[in-house]
Amino acid sequence: MSKNLLSSRQPILDKIVFFCAVVRSGSFREASTQQGLSPAAGSRWVKELEEALSVELIKRSTRQLVATQAGQLLYDRFSPLLPDINSLCEEVQNLAEEQQGEIRISSTPLFARQYLTKIVAEYMQKHPKVNFRIFIEAGEFDPLTIDFAFRASASYEGERDIDSLLVRKRLLRETLYLCASPEYIKQYGEPVNPEQLKQHRCLYAKTLLSGNRWCFEHQGESEIVTIQDTLECDNSEMLLDLTLEHAGVAYLPHSLVHSALESGELCQIMANYQCASFDVDMFYRPRSPMPERCSGFKQYLVERVAALNV
């Protein structure tokens, strides 16, 4: 007769959840980060799970890990249950009189510095039983492990929204400016149209401008130019610093460059061309019901961003 694993003092369900994260991500380190464990503890959990089940679940090598037949069976059967398990736990938590639990956030550095830090600090004061895990990053994220993601992107008039299974809510929209330092312009000259940008050192964020293709509008006509692949960095504040150090021409949002433009440290370029807009969007997966802690935080954040942006 098989032993009753659920009566064991070992957290067998937690270990299966972690095992599924390893298989899904293909990495012990990434799964450990997602689940809030050290890589050493995560590796030990999988070994203990294999011992409890008396079967090898993962074949490890220096370059990759692959689920065994038993491991793949466990993953295929258990991973579809995770959303239902999480939803059930969240429904139970919603019965509590006050908000509690963890909110996981992925944010770009600029939005985190300008808005998120203050808003999260305020919310923690109001709801001391709500915990936060914040990842400062750009690019793709896993919506199954993140409650809210904040991403910046450039958009143009008439551009169609990309279809997505996630809910997308725009929080901010501001103008992008093409700018460079007076010293850079003195040394390399000032471009007066998009075509001339091909001859300049251009600094860009791939996650913001979809690579090295910059779009402008002039007299009702759109012009797209492929710039030189000079420097790519997904941190807008570092792009600003590089521009101030005369490294090249950058495409940056108003909130980041307005003081440098007013002081003369930077100059606006091609002012007669309409640039793209800088948008900050909040992404989250549709959940019914949404956990109270997430629902409350979402409403609070939207209101505070609007108030802080006045």
Side-chain angles (χ1 to χ4, degrees):
M1 185 175 179
S2 62
K3 55 187 175 181
N4 187 350
L5 294 172
L6 293 180
S7 66
S8 167
R9 297 181 64 183
Q10 297 185 13
I12 190 74
L13 290 179
D14 287 346
K15 292 173 182 176
I16 296 177
V17 170
F18 178 77
F19 163 77
C20 289
V22 172
V23 175
R24 183 174 62 250
S25 65
S27 165
F28 270 96
R29 183 171 297 279
E30 185 173 340
S32 298
T33 300
Q34 293 174 1
Q35 300 297 317
L37 293 173
S38 69
S43 180
R44 186 174 66 251
W45 267 23
V46 172
K47 288 181 180 179
E48 290 173 354
L49 179 61
E50 290 176 326
E51 292 173 359
L53 298 175
S54 302
V55 65
E56 184 182 32
L57 299 174
I58 290 179
K59 290 186 179 295
R60 304 167 180 83
S61 70
T62 56
R63 293 188 177 182
Q64 62 179 350
L65 57 87
V66 179
T68 64
Q69 182 179 1
Q72 191 64 46
L73 174 63
L74 178 60
Y75 176 79
D76 291 343
R77 293 287 183 87
F78 193 85
S79 59
L81 302 177
L82 288 173
D84 290 335
I85 294 173
N86 290 333
S87 295
L88 175 59
C89 292
E90 288 166 352
E91 285 187 52
V92 173
Q93 284 184 326
N94 284 348
L95 297 177
E97 293 183 356
E98 57 183 319
Q99 295 183 31
Q100 57 183 309
E102 183 179 82
I103 298 175
R104 298 169 66 92
I105 294 173
S106 172
S107 174
T108 59
L110 185 60
F111 181 76
R113 182 180 66 80
Q114 291 183 331
Y115 294 94
L116 193 60
T117 300
K118 178 177 180 60
I119 292 171
V120 167
E122 292 174 352
Y123 206 75
M124 291 175 68
Q125 289 288 330
K126 295 177 178 291
H127 304 281
K129 290 189 177 181
V130 175
N131 305 316
F132 286 86
R133 183 164 302 203
I134 301 175
F135 303 91
I136 306 302
E137 57 193 358
E140 295 182 358
F141 62 94
D142 184 355
L144 295 179
T145 60
I146 295 295
D147 294 304
F148 299 103
F150 302 95
R151 289 293 183 269
S153 63
S155 64
Y156 308 93
E157 292 298 328
E159 183 182 39
R160 294 180 59 186
D161 289 338
I162 298 174
D163 291 335
S164 173
L165 296 178
L166 299 176
V167 178
R168 174 181 180 178
K169 180 174 179 59
R170 179 171 296 140
L171 299 176
L172 301 168
R173 167 165 279 187
E174 56 181 289
T175 303
L176 281 163
Y177 286 89
L178 195 66
C179 52
S181 69
E183 288 80 0
Y184 176 87
I185 294 173
K186 181 178 179 180
Q187 184 174 357
Y188 297 99
E190 180 178 351
V192 297
N193 59 56
E195 188 66 23
Q196 291 184 5
L197 286 172
K198 294 180 179 180
Q199 311 304 320
H200 285 264
R201 298 187 304 188
C202 295
L203 320 176
Y204 70 97
K206 184 176 182 180
T207 53
L208 175 61
L209 294 169
S210 301
N212 58 352
R213 288 167 58 83
W214 290 3
C215 182
F216 303 90
E217 186 175 315
H218 183 59
Q219 296 180 349
E221 296 291 330
S222 295
E223 296 187 43
I224 298 177
V225 60
T226 301
I227 62 172
Q228 287 192 48
D229 199 1
T230 303
L231 186 146
E232 177 187 349
C233 174
D234 285 337
N235 186 316
S236 298
E237 292 175 300
M238 186 173 180
L239 288 178
L240 172 62
D241 291 339
L242 287 163
T243 311
L244 291 169
E245 292 295 330
H246 330 306
V249 178
Y251 211 6
L252 294 170
H254 173 266
S255 60
L256 202 59
V257 301
H258 74 278
S259 60
L261 291 172
E262 290 177 357
S263 67
E265 293 177 277
L266 293 180
C267 299
Q268 183 180 358
I269 295 173
M270 292 167 43
N272 57 326
Y273 281 80
Q274 181 178 344
C275 296
S277 296
F278 173 79
D279 298 339
V280 176
D281 298 309
M282 173 172 61
F283 295 89
Y284 55 94
R285 64 187 186 276
R287 289 187 282 178
S288 182
M290 176 177 279
E292 182 61 30
R293 65 184 181 278
C294 293
S295 177
F297 176 72
K298 176 170 68 71
Q299 180 178 350
Y300 183 80
L301 179 133
V302 170
E303 293 173 354
R304 290 296 288 134
V305 168
L308 293 170
N309 196 41
V310 172

